[in-house]
Amino acid sequence: MPPAKKSGRALLREEGLERTDNNLKSHTWPIVQMINQKNYYTFVLTVLPLVQLLNESCREYLKREDQVMVYRQQQEESVKAALQQAKDKSMDGDTMDVDEEGEKEEEMLGSKVIVIHPGSQNLRIGLASDALPRSVPMVIARRSDKAEFEVGPPYPNRKKADAGENGEEEEEQEEEPMFGPEFSHQLREMSTELKQRMRNNKRRILPNSKDLVISYNNRTAAEVVKEHNDPNRVEWTEVPQDSPPEYYVGKEALRIPDISKPRYRLLWPIRHGWLNEKDYNNKRKLLADISVILEEGMRTELGIAKRDIRGTYSAVLVIPDLYEKVYVNEMLELLFKDFFFEQVCIIQESLAASFGAGFSQACIVDIGAQKTSVCCVEEGMCVVESRLNLKYGGADVTNTFIKALLVSQFPYRDINLWRRYDYLLAEELKLKYYTLNDAVISVQVCDFHLRAPGSDTKKYSFKCYDEVMIAPMGYFNPKIFDHSYKLEGRRSLLERSYDIYDGKPDDPISTAQLTLYQASRPSSNGNASVNEVGADGGAATPVNSLLLTPAKAPTLNPFSHINLETTAATPRSSIAGSPAPEGTPIFGASTPAFNFGGPVPFSHVVPIGPTPLELAEERDKQVPVCPLDQAIVESITHASKGDEKKIKEYLGSIMIVGGGSQVAGLNHLLEERLRGMKRYSDFNVMVAPPPRELDPQVIVWKGSSVFGKLKSTNDSWIRAAEYDILGSRLLAYRCLWLY
């Protein structure tokens, strides 16, 4: 008899196959349902185009201007301004002439724009609508235990006592020079060169001119003038004893008596075109002093209080041609976060000078107090490879002038440039007597009044001869200047700027400046020429690339004097990740563990040669110094790139600006030296001051004020709202050059 048929449920129960998991899934993977074949075209027409659009958007991310917030906001504001202008005209029925309306808008814009040009010695500040700026000494005096003349030895620092009237002491002076053998050697060489120049120009030369000067100065005594008989007596800053202020700024700081109670010490936040890291031990104090000087300058000179700036005024900041990004970022942060300017734009010094002079193409030479810059400008842009930054200026001429006078037995032998009244006296003597016109060089009698706080005025008479021309001739022989202190404190407070992607130093540098650094390093044989200056003020090799064919800039490497192990196979020749052939030696590996035969990953190969960081550190150990005429040739060489037509155009439009260019005869002497170079002897060389009799000291500020009033500069304005979002990264979109 066959078994009874069982139901499927019974079989599952007996065999243990019945579900007991309450319909829970055995896995969590999503189940993809089959596509309905009837609606397949819907997926093709809707989903695939979206995927393709997404891929295309990713490939074009930030490659179009409409994808960048800065440009998008700019277009939106332009549209809003146009709509608002059309609306105002339709409502008011304005029939004003277009030119009158434009002038009115420009005047209104200039009255709310503050142009700021900070320098090593002076701050030029003013409204863009002003004809000329106000000059404020870039100095602050803060309460201290000691004044600056009490901190260190006097300057210039004598290396022996002053010689007297007898012959023995004069012989000792010749054996042991007052300022060292190097300065004495340079002084004699420049004096001989000047005599030869005067003979060539048929000038009369007395054979015993130096002896007459020294003999007269040794016999001269000071004449005391009572204070009530001195019509030009100085009004010194009176420091209250009960509640002395914490600081003084500008001219008031320079007029504080050196022996005041309490003592005050002068601090200059900017030195040699860099932020002063030598006299400060805190970056915050350094930036705070810059802020105080700007605030006091706006309040006293412009009548604008700090609280009135927020949301009302804009600023134009003038920066050097070869700037440091840390300096630009800190100044931008100061203007936005401390003064709350509505918007700020940035312009380079040489470009501003071309704006002020109205030149579309020129070689701009800006001689400041402690920095000289050379740059070629073409069609409203600085030629990036032509920029040069030299660390000497009018202050070095002042120091050299006083040294030369002391060698000639200057009657006021106790002069110390760390004392404020002596510093002001030295500046007065330099501006009054120095010249580069050899027609006026003769033994002449000069006089000056020494006005010190708390004492009667003293009148001195002295004779001078070639000292008045030797000091400014240091522009063409900077070896006579003292460079030993110019790198003190460098990189002690402020780190250099690095690229956020590859970590390399990204401060701008030009091929002309690199050539200068290469020529300024010590030679391998230990010898050096008079044109090179190292970190210790020593000599260096001459600039040997000035008159080479400029068709292609040479490959520059300040580390070329270092002997590195090289091989025929260059690790940098390929970026592929394939291993090296078996048995190939690996040079420059990070550890000896990789110096064995066999496959070695490319990531373990270290390129031979100095890194960009090492190159930047090597440059920081050298003072960039070069004769002015050779620097101009070097800048034009790199700007023209072998084009003879451009060389002629630049040589025919050299313009000298800055306070250090006010020496008489500088333009003529510079033209003569440029024509004396063999390569440019047949060219038309023209060195001219700014046109329309503009003051060369303010031509950069004047051009910046013109730039701040132009409508076309709207693209370069950095607005506060944008800066809050992007910070200094915004400079890559707003600057007129490649930041």
Side-chain angles (χ1 to χ4, degrees), residues 344-363:
V344 176
C345 74
I346 300 175
I347 184 173
Q348 294 171 296
E349 288 177 343
S350 295
L351 181 59
S354 66
F355 267 79
F359 289 174
S360 61
Q361 184 175 14
C363 179

Side-chain angles (χ1 to χ4, degrees), residues 5 117 127 169 173 266 286 331 370 434 436 489-490 540:
K5 186 178 181 179
H117 181 199
L127 296 174
E169 293 182 349
Q173 184 185 12
L266 297 184
L286 171 61
M331 292 296 295
Q370 299 179 355
Y434 79 147
L436 283 173
R490 182 80 170 135

Side-chain angles (χ1 to χ4, degrees), residues 100-388:
E100 295 180 359
E101 182 180 358
E103 293 178 0
K104 183 178 180 181
E105 291 180 359
E106 182 178 348
E107 182 179 357
M108 292 178 59
L109 178 62
S111 62
K112 296 298 181 182
V113 176
I114 301 177
V115 182
I116 303 171
H117 181 199
S120 300
Q121 184 166 323
N122 291 300
L123 166 68
R124 316 284 182 190
I125 190 171
L127 296 174
S129 57
D130 295 340
L132 295 173
R134 276 76 167 179
S135 295
V136 179
M138 194 72 183
V139 62
I140 182 172
R142 288 193 175 273
R143 292 174 56 180
S144 177
D145 297 334
K146 296 181 179 179
E148 53 271 18
F149 80 97
E150 299 174 323
V151 174
Y155 189 83
N157 188 12
R158 291 78 160 170
K159 296 190 176 182
K160 73 177 294 294
D162 296 331
E165 298 181 4
N166 55 45
E168 295 180 357
E169 293 182 349
E170 290 182 359
E171 291 180 0
E172 292 178 2
Q173 184 185 12
E174 294 180 358
E175 296 176 359
E176 187 178 355
M178 185 182 300
F179 300 107
E182 181 64 25
F183 179 82
S184 179
H185 172 70
Q186 294 296 327
L187 194 63
R188 286 196 301 269
E189 280 195 351
M190 295 180 69
S191 180
T192 304
E193 179 184 352
L194 178 58
K195 289 180 181 178
Q196 184 64 36
R197 171 185 171 83
M198 294 177 67
R199 290 192 184 99
N200 295 338
N201 294 336
K202 310 301 182 184
R203 310 295 186 194
R204 182 182 178 185
I205 301 176
L206 294 178
N208 58 344
S209 301
K210 277 290 185 182
D211 297 335
L212 292 176
V213 170
I214 294 176
S215 176
Y216 181 86
N217 291 339
N218 281 329
R219 298 192 308 268
T220 302
E223 177 185 350
V224 179
V225 180
K226 296 298 183 181
E227 184 177 0
H228 61 274
N229 292 330
D230 185 8
N232 298 321
R233 59 181 178 272
V234 178
E235 297 294 336
W236 301 97
T237 302
E238 296 184 3
V239 179
Q241 299 294 329
D242 50 353
S243 58
E246 186 65 27
Y247 60 83
Y248 288 94
V249 174
K251 296 179 181 179
E252 291 185 351
L254 293 176
R255 296 299 184 183
I256 299 176
D258 295 87
I259 55 174
S260 63
K261 296 182 180 180
R263 292 284 197 273
Y264 283 84
R265 184 181 179 185
L266 297 184
L267 296 171
W268 305 81
I270 299 179
R271 297 273 84 180
H272 313 292
W274 295 321
L275 291 176
N276 185 2
E277 302 174 78
K278 173 187 175 183
D279 299 329
Y280 289 87
N281 55 11
N282 190 307
K283 183 180 76 171
R284 185 170 298 179
K285 293 181 180 179
L286 171 61
L287 299 176
D289 282 357
I290 296 178
S291 177
V292 170
I293 295 174
L294 291 177
E295 180 182 355
E296 291 296 320
M298 295 177 190
R299 183 182 61 85
T300 57
E301 302 294 336
L302 305 181
I304 301 175
K306 188 176 181 179
R307 62 178 180 273
D308 299 332
I309 296 177
R310 181 192 290 265
T312 304
Y313 286 89
S314 305
V316 177
L317 177 64
V318 185
I319 63 173
D321 304 323
L322 275 179
Y323 51 87
E324 291 187 341
K325 289 190 175 183
V326 173
Y327 169 76
V328 178
N329 296 341
E330 294 293 349
M331 292 296 295
L332 201 61
E333 182 81 8
L334 190 70
L335 296 178
F336 274 121
K337 301 301 182 182
D338 195 9
F339 289 91
F340 301 101
F341 278 100
E342 181 183 11
Q343 54 186 3
V344 176
C345 74
I346 300 175
I347 184 173
Q348 294 171 296
E349 288 177 343
S350 295
L351 181 59
S354 66
F355 267 79
F359 289 174
S360 61
Q361 184 175 14
C363 179
I364 306 297
V365 183
D366 187 356
I367 306 177
Q370 299 179 355
K371 173 184 66 68
T372 298
S373 62
V374 184
C375 179
C376 294
V377 179
E378 184 177 9
E379 299 299 335
M381 292 293 292
C382 294
V383 182
V384 293
E385 302 301 345
S386 68
R387 297 174 294 177
L388 276 173

